[in-house]
Structure formats: C-alpha cells, structure tokens
Amino acid sequence: MLKRLLIGLIVIAAAGLGVFWWLTVPATVAAASLPARQPDLANGRTMFNAGGCSSCHAVPDQPDRSKLGGGLAIPSPFGTFYAPNISPDPNDGIGRWSEADFVTAVLKGTSPLGAHYYPAFPYASYQRAKVEDVRDLFAYLKTLAPVSGQVRDHDLPFPFNIRRTVGMWKLLFLDGKPFLPDASHSASWNRGAYLVNGPGHCAECHSPRNFLGGIVEAQRFAGGPNPEGEGFVPNITQKELGDWSGKDIDYFLETGEMPDGDSAGGAMARVIRNTSQLPPADRGAIAEYLKSLPPAEGPPRPKKKSE
C-alpha cells in the first residue's frame, strides 16, 4: 500500500513538473516574421531616449550616455539586479545578437539562450512597443561604441534565483498585446499614450505593486514606494498633477524644473536626461496624455519617524 502511494505521489509530481515546464516555455519572435527593411536611425534614437536605455544601462558614475556597459545596481524586494551590458561589444554586450534576438528580448523578455529575463527589465511595458520601433532601436544601438566588461550576476535569494519561475509571473502579468490607438482621441494624445505606456514605461516606477511584483492596475500611475527601496515615487495622475498645466509638464520633461521652483532628483534626474532629448512634439504629446489621466488615489505614504 505504501509503495503504491509513493509511486502515485511520484507520478503526480512528475505530471505537475511537466505542466509547469510547458506553461513556462519562454516565448520568442521568429526571424522569418521580420522582413528586410531599411532601419530609421533617427527613430531609433528617439526610441533610445523614450525608452530610457541609458538610465539603467550606461556605465555608472560617468557622463557619457552612450557607454552602455551596464553595471547599475537596481535594488528590489526580491534582491538586487544589475543592468547588463547592451553595447555592441561582441563578447560582453549584444554585438553578436541577431535582430530577432533583440526583438524577442524587448517584447517577450526572453534571452538569446532561451531563458526568461527578470521583469526588472520592464518588458511588461515594452511589450506595447511597435516591432518597427524596436527594430530601429536595435539598429541605433549598433551605431554606438562597444564597451568591454561583463556585469556581475544578480544577487537574488532562493527561490527568486530560479529563472524558470519567471514564466509563471509572465502568465499573470504579460499579455503580449500591442498598443492600440484610441480613435476618440487626437493623434498627439495617442502618441503620448504610446510613449508613456510602451517605450517610456512610466508606470513601472509610478505605480504600486502587489506582493508578486506586478503593478496594481487600479492604482496605475498613482505613485507608491520606490522600487529601488528608498523614498516614495509621486502620483502622476491628476490627483497630484491637477495644478500642473500641459506646458508645465512639457517644461519639466525638458529641464527637470517644477512649477514651484524645485527640480527633479534621484532616478528622475536620469530620466530627464533622456526626455530632454526627445522631439518637442513628443514631450508635448506625453504632457497631453498625462493631463488626461483621471485622479487616482495611491497607497498611503509611510509616516516619518518624527510624526
């Protein structure tokens, strides 16, 4: 009887493992789905700035935004991630990647070796990007200088260091749907909505997260604890930006200066270095979209020790 029970448990465990393995197969983009085309390098540069690539991937503590050797530490409740080298270096960066490898990484969160990337790489937002924009970004990255040097491994405790489990996270928070324009709004509003929700991945920092690390959709853009561990990321809905005009937001994205005379600091200062390089029409589009976000109540801020 005990032997049969043991065999039964083994069979159930094996079946469960098989189902888990099947459900967590990393998705890819086939090279055949990417017909030959002439890349638009100017658009690739715009996507580079809209996507904030240099904010995470530029070598820390140096001023050149094009040196994408990685190494930035990204603290989180699940451990510390280290931004990889995405320069064209053939040994330490993405110099040997195919276009399909890059599109797969950005839209599906899957590495060229067929492993899941951790969602510290914000592909949950990047999945909304247009394939053509991602292809142009790849072409632009290849024009930048190679940077040698490998980045250290992530520092993650068990069980978060098991990449295969990210496949279950993707089942919950990755739907693979591209951005769809809203015909009831202007072309400029739709451009802003695309940049904010797709390449710009603004919600990744400006939204609270649940215990699995997924964005709380009911409080999207409503601010929350800094995912890097210190401070509180502001609410960017009309709950807190109601007194800002579209021109105020546009000017902030260009200069980092707020209407009250304060200026952006911390991670947002790095973001401004990117948005300041966007075409003025794109900054205006982002401002138009953000002004349309209805007020949303974010999570309560923690009380200061003196309170």
Side-chain angles (χ1 to χ4, degrees):
M1 180 65 180
L2 183 60
K3 183 177 180 181
R4 289 182 179 179
L5 178 60
L6 181 60
I7 292 174
L9 291 175
I10 292 173
V11 170
I12 292 173
L17 181 61
V19 171
F20 166 78
W21 207 254
W22 175 71
L23 288 173
T24 59
V25 172
T28 59
V29 175
S33 69
L34 304 174
R37 64 187 287 272
Q38 186 67 31
D40 182 342
L41 292 179
N43 184 52
R45 183 176 184 275
T46 295
M47 290 301 110
F48 175 79
N49 290 316
C53 303
S54 67
S55 293
C56 286
H57 295 283
V59 177
D61 302 321
Q62 56 83 39
D64 192 341
R65 297 169 61 246
S66 69
K67 290 185 177 180
L68 304 179
L72 178 72
I74 306 173
S76 82
F78 307 99
T80 301
F81 299 93
Y82 293 88
N85 184 331
I86 62 166
S87 79
D89 187 89
N91 298 313
D92 302 322
I94 62 173
R96 295 181 182 175
W97 285 27
S98 69
E99 189 179 51
D101 288 337
F102 186 78
V103 174
T104 292
V106 173
L107 299 184
K108 304 297 182 182
T110 301
S111 78
L113 297 178
H116 293 297
Y117 282 123
Y118 288 102
F121 176 29
Y123 49 77
S125 290
Y126 289 162
Q127 66 176 329
R128 312 295 180 208
K130 300 174 184 177
V131 173
E132 294 78 10
D133 285 344
V134 178
R135 298 177 74 181
D136 288 342
L137 171 60
F138 182 58
Y140 176 74
L141 291 177
K142 290 194 294 184
T143 70
L144 303 180
V147 179
S148 61
Q150 292 186 355
V151 174
R152 58 163 294 176
D153 291 338
H154 302 314
D155 184 11
L156 307 176
F158 179 85
F160 306 121
N161 59 347
I162 302 176
R163 284 184 182 267
R164 193 75 184 201
T165 60
V166 177
M168 299 303 294
W169 188 94
K170 288 181 176 180
L171 288 176
L172 295 173
F173 303 109
L174 208 67
D175 58 25
K177 296 178 180 178
F179 173 79
L180 295 176
D182 186 339
S184 68
H185 289 282
S186 68
S188 177
W189 183 95
N190 276 291
R191 175 67 172 174
Y194 171 69
L195 292 174
V196 167
N197 291 290
H201 62 281
C202 303
E204 299 291 337
C205 285
H206 288 278
S207 306
R209 294 179 179 271
N210 59 31
F211 73 100
L212 293 175
I215 288 175
V216 179
E217 288 299 326
Q219 295 178 305
R220 193 174 184 86
F221 300 118
N226 188 339
E228 295 185 4
E230 294 184 5
F232 208 85
V233 180
N235 185 324
I236 57 172
T237 72
Q238 290 304 286
K239 174 70 177 179
E240 288 193 16
L241 292 186
D243 293 336
W244 290 42
S245 68
K247 289 184 178 180
D248 288 336
I249 297 174
D250 188 336
Y251 188 69
F252 174 72
L253 295 174
E254 182 181 7
T255 66
E257 296 183 13
M258 304 178 193
D260 62 4
D262 200 357
S263 59
M268 194 62 202
R270 299 199 302 268
V271 173
I272 297 298
R273 293 179 67 190
N274 300 313
T275 57
S276 65
Q277 301 301 311
L278 289 174
D282 281 347
R283 286 196 300 271
I286 292 171
E288 181 180 350
Y289 174 71
L290 291 180
K291 280 299 295 180
S292 76
L293 292 176
E297 190 71 49
R301 290 175 179 259
K303 291 184 177 180
K304 296 180 181 180
K305 293 181 179 180
S306 59
E307 296 180 347

